[in-house]
Amino acid sequence: MQSPISFVYGNCVFGPGLDDGWAAFVASTSSYDGLALSEKRSRFLALMGALESTEADLQILRVSRRWRPEHYAQELRRESSALHASSYERYIAEHSRHLGEVGGVQPRVFLLVSLRDPDRDLASYVSQAVERHPREWLHALKRGVQLRDRRLLAASELERARVRSDQAHARLADYISVRPARGVELQWLVRRAFCRGLGEPHVDGLHEPRALVFERNGEAVLAPLEGDVMRWMDGYVEHHGRALRIQSELGTSWQSLLVLGALPERASFPGARVELMFAPVENLPFGVDLTLNARFLPNELALRIARRKIQDADQILKAESDGEQGISDQGYERTQEARDLLTFLQSSSRPPLLRATLSIAIGATSEQQLEERIEMCRRVYGEIRLHRPLGDQLELFCQHLPAQRTRVAGYDDTLTPEQIAAMMPTATHAVGSQRGFYLGRTLSGSSQPVRFNLREGSESNRNTAILSVGALGSGKTTLDQKLKYEGFLLGARIVDCDPKGDHRFHLLDEVAPHTECITLRPDPALRGVLDPLRVAPAHLRQDAAVSFLRDLLPGRAEPAWETAVVKAVDVVSRRSRTPTCLEVVHALREGDETDAQVSKTLEVYAHAGLTQLGFADPAMAPPPVGHKQVTYLPIRDLPSPEPGMARSEYSQAERVGEQIVRLIAMFAMHLMGAERERLKLFSFDEGWRLLKDPIGRTLLASLQRMGRSELAVPIISTQLITDALVGERESLENLLGATFIFGMRSETEARRALALLGLDPDDRRMSQRLLEFEAGRCLFRDHRGRVEAIQVEVVVPSLLRAFSTTPQPAANAA
């Protein structure tokens, strides 16, 4: 049997003959299942445009890449912090043990475009030849009749192949995200075919394909070193009728190759009946490989085929009319479909047709497991029959290698670019970061691992804030503590604000020695710790102080009182290097009668209750806080209004509580701003207090600016998506990065959540899914805007117990 691949140069792959070159590209995959209908159609149209633009034979390879826990551990060890090396190593070891049980199938999509002209009939070929440049035509004729050694490749031909590859890349890039495949990727693609179902081959990139260069008759010629490519095909293949037994570098692989039969005559997009390269395979708990090998039929040739189909359909219809039973419904439909195809081909875009075969490769560790997987594969494809050709398994195996044409006759079908695009080969459930700690897994059958990098927002110049929303007990606090623990292991500076007082992260044995707990209470020792003139960002300092002092005044205070506060803050800010709010009170005392009245009112708050936290004495040094890695701020008894209450209805205590929340956020920014190059996490539960407040949103915007340049990451949790939050969606786009939407308890909140994620709020399937989510399950939108349903997992049992906020039953309970 002739070698299916003879030579590889860059991203140009040559098949059995050196005159059969293909350009190989890697197509980007994208999350698809949760998209709105308009977004799905946009992806479909982009794929269709790319297929039409190539004007050449195609091969689409969708291969499954298995998750490799050992690589995960190696990557994380390179990011280890010396602060907590032993805890870090234990955490990675626990992850590695758990990840061996995760499915971890991730698809990779390769698109190969033939570099030779598509096959045409004689009349079409002659008409094209006349239109071509005479010199190009003569050169093609010379190449066609010249007798030469087919093992040699002229350097000029190689350069011509490279130029055509660049042209194909430019055409594809107008529609979809593709890049030229690298040599090591092609090597992996070939070698993994022999160990399908066993694991991933080790590809170190050392065996890049090369060629000897020499001269013959004054022309540079390349002689491919076929041994380099042949070394990739490291396996002994035994043919077992309808299966292959392959001795590979990873052991014995049992494989079987299936071919799709007739496609449904009527199916609508989107839907599982047409998304044949996405929906069925993503429902399987194991990885399979698919290849679609298509021969390009130009429009003029496609028209001839369509007219022939009309003639055949009319002949069948006439034969049925002469019969005793008359014309059947299928006869009418056949003639109508043939005419519809002709109308489609005669449209202004003059689309082509593609003669295509879709094949599935299944691998297993044993013959019994192979049969079980074949049966599961047939179930997920439902009404579409999967053929298992006897005696053609080796040909189909070669058909799954790159740069291959259809090798098995009788299973191809004539399809439009729309039908192939609707198969959605680039769709997947991928979400999360390329590196970082294991976050959880997708809820698809493929169970893809999801990683999360706390630094991704800063490193990619995107929003850094992390928002989690969900009902009580849905998993928000557990996620929050998991992220803080991982940040702690990385050496991050952490400020944890806990309005409910149920966080347990700071009590962990390895965290407690590095934690300072600042209980915000009416304690003279803490007086001034939240003074806005000390802790607020410089550009917000004066406005924050005015807002804080103004809200302490009676609700029916005269406008002159507010004016007095503004003037006093301005005076103190200009005359003092380290101004404080207590200095403002003293400045008011020295003013006129109105100023004195304001001073008398504010002085009460400066020495009593929680408000004294905002009045620092300039004669006293600030409290010694912020010197440990973790700062824990429990604020359980802080007065707060009900979510959604109008601000005009707040009581005095609730207005004070709102101000304290703002000051806490400023205090956190003050602590984190001292270490510019260090990763910093600011965790705030009950985040609606910040999100509903204009000043709170301004503070979050300031944190975002810190995040992009100073590695600051706000983590905000809340139970409800209020009307104000959804109404402010345009402004929130500049505040939110990664978003987690956990289980909801009302359909209204589910619709709001979908709108926040940018999904269709009227999508009943997605909203019902939110209502049915169990603890730990959520819709996750990552920093790149991809949305997927995932299960957040805390893989260390002791941490899961520690992070749980659900009361545990007593040991002696009945």
Side-chain angles (χ1 to χ4, degrees), residues 501-515:
D502 58 356
H503 293 185
R504 300 291 180 268
F505 155 71
H506 63 288
L507 300 176
L508 296 173
D509 292 341
E510 58 266 47
V511 179
H514 304 274
T515 301

Side-chain angles (χ1 to χ4, degrees), residues 561-575:
W561 286 33
E562 183 175 340
T563 303
V565 170
V566 174
K567 183 178 66 174
V569 171
D570 182 59
V571 169
V572 171
S573 298
R574 283 189 285 108
R575 78 183 183 188

Side-chain angles (χ1 to χ4, degrees), residues 7-10 183-184 186-187 206-211 225 228-229 232:
F7 180 48
V8 174
Y9 176 76
V184 289
L186 296 169
Q187 179 184 359
L206 297 178
H207 302 297
E208 292 279 1
R210 297 174 295 276
L225 293 178
D228 285 348
V229 178
W232 300 354

Side-chain angles (χ1 to χ4, degrees), residues 766-779:
M766 294 301 291
S767 61
Q768 186 64 31
R769 199 172 191 182
L770 279 175
L771 296 174
E772 295 174 353
F773 273 162
E774 300 175 355
R777 295 192 170 190
C778 64
L779 288 180

